[in-house]
Amino acid sequence: MIDRDRLLNHIRDSEDRQTMTKILNKAQKSLKNYIVCATEFYSPYEINMAIPIIDQIHDISYFIYGAYENAERKIMIFYPSIFELTKEDYPIGIIKIEGNFNKSTLSHRDFLGAILGLGLKRGKIGDILIGEKETLVIGYKEINEFIRLNLTKIGRNNISIEPVDLDYKIEIEDKYKMVTSTVASLRLDSVVATGFSISRGIATKLIKGDKVKVNWKLQPQPSTLVCSGDVISVRGKGRIEVFHVGGKTKKGRYKVQIKKMI
């Protein structure tokens, strides 16, 4: 049996503890029933938290997978150490959604909203990769088929859907706008205000309202300091990356370059 209390003793955040418990339950099920068992899709923050915990468990192996090399959201597949994992054991697949997306302003939020609007859970869906002519959705096989049969439009755009093989060539083109500006400080509220072109007061309300994550972790403190490489997401507004922090201006403000994802 897995000693959950011992493995999770160092985690104080209740939400993190709940997530790690769910992951351990999947590992326990694999060990107990001698089967391959997979988790939901998790963020890099959650996966990185889980790895040192799972590494303490004997007689179980795991594979982290998101369908392509640089996937953001991934699952953990657990299996007894004497098993040999094959692609047939992977519970996820890819569907291709085609439409005239180059003539619209559809965003990741539009696609995700349409899919979740079918009554599906977020944890069953991985990355959504939007292109000019096609969008790839990575998710559990059973919901992929459900999406194919039930999703007919994204916004006002008619679409067609077909499954593609896991070996399908995925080419990612990051779409972003580079914002060069200055900030009074590297506090989270200041950077969010600059990155999303909103007032600092509104940024503070969003942060305190649990709508802002830094590196995929909820961050409710406006005074938190950020640095180069940090990824900041704001619910309903999108995502930015602190691309570079330079020196100070004569007025004592920090020079920053921010990548705003489109």
Side-chain angles (χ1 to χ4, degrees), residues 235-246:
R235 190 188 308 168
K237 291 187 175 295
R239 177 185 298 180
I240 60 174
E241 177 187 339
V242 183
F243 184 71
H244 177 71
V245 176

Side-chain angles (χ1 to χ4, degrees), residues 186 191 214-215 224-232 241-245:
L186 295 177
V191 175
V214 178
N215 298 327
T224 298
L225 297 180
V226 300
C227 60
S228 296
D230 282 349
V231 176
I232 303 170
E241 177 187 339
V242 183
F243 184 71
H244 177 71
V245 176

Side-chain angles (χ1 to χ4, degrees), residues 19-51:
T19 298
M20 293 304 108
T21 297
K22 289 172 66 176
I23 291 175
L24 285 177
N25 287 344
K26 292 293 185 179
Q28 177 68 58
K29 184 176 180 180
S30 177
L31 280 173
K32 181 180 179 180
N33 299 316
Y34 221 60
I35 58 173
V36 176
C37 197
T39 69
E40 296 181 344
F41 284 91
Y42 289 110
S43 71
Y45 168 78
E46 293 162 325
I47 292 291
N48 290 334
M49 185 188 302
I51 290 173

Side-chain angles (χ1 to χ4, degrees), residues 22-180:
K22 289 172 66 176
I23 291 175
L24 285 177
N25 287 344
K26 292 293 185 179
Q28 177 68 58
K29 184 176 180 180
S30 177
L31 280 173
K32 181 180 179 180
N33 299 316
Y34 221 60
I35 58 173
V36 176
C37 197
T39 69
E40 296 181 344
F41 284 91
Y42 289 110
S43 71
Y45 168 78
E46 293 162 325
I47 292 291
N48 290 334
M49 185 188 302
I51 290 173
I53 295 173
I54 300 300
D55 283 344
Q56 298 178 59
I57 303 173
H58 300 294
D59 302 322
I60 194 169
S61 295
Y62 65 89
F63 181 56
I64 298 172
Y65 187 64
Y68 68 104
E69 184 177 357
N70 295 315
E72 180 177 301
R73 293 175 60 82
K74 299 178 182 179
I75 62 172
M76 298 185 79
I77 306 174
F78 299 109
Y79 57 100
S81 297
I82 65 170
F83 278 24
E84 184 175 342
L85 200 66
T86 67
K87 279 195 174 182
E88 284 67 36
D89 295 312
Y90 300 172
I92 64 178
I94 306 172
I95 54 174
K96 179 171 64 174
I97 302 177
E98 293 182 299
N100 294 321
F101 306 140
N102 60 327
K103 296 181 180 180
S104 67
T105 57
L106 292 176
S107 66
H108 182 278
R109 185 183 181 189
D110 294 314
F111 282 90
L112 181 60
I115 292 170
L116 295 183
L118 298 175
L120 299 171
K121 293 183 178 180
R122 181 66 177 98
K124 294 291 185 179
I125 302 164
D127 286 1
I128 299 175
L129 308 170
I130 303 172
E132 290 187 355
K133 296 182 179 180
E134 65 180 32
T135 291
L136 301 178
V137 178
I138 299 165
Y140 264 73
K141 291 176 182 177
E142 65 265 25
I143 71 148
N144 280 347
E145 180 62 12
F146 179 81
I147 293 170
R148 188 183 70 81
L149 294 173
N150 291 278
L151 189 64
T152 58
K153 285 188 175 184
I154 304 292
R156 297 181 179 179
N157 295 266
N158 292 320
I159 58 172
S160 62
I161 303 177
E162 64 174 312
V164 296
D165 191 81
L166 282 175
D167 294 325
Y168 188 81
K169 186 177 180 181
I170 297 177
E171 297 180 350
I172 305 172
E173 180 183 352
D174 285 338
K175 294 183 178 180
Y176 62 87
K177 178 175 69 174
M178 188 67 77
V179 177
T180 300

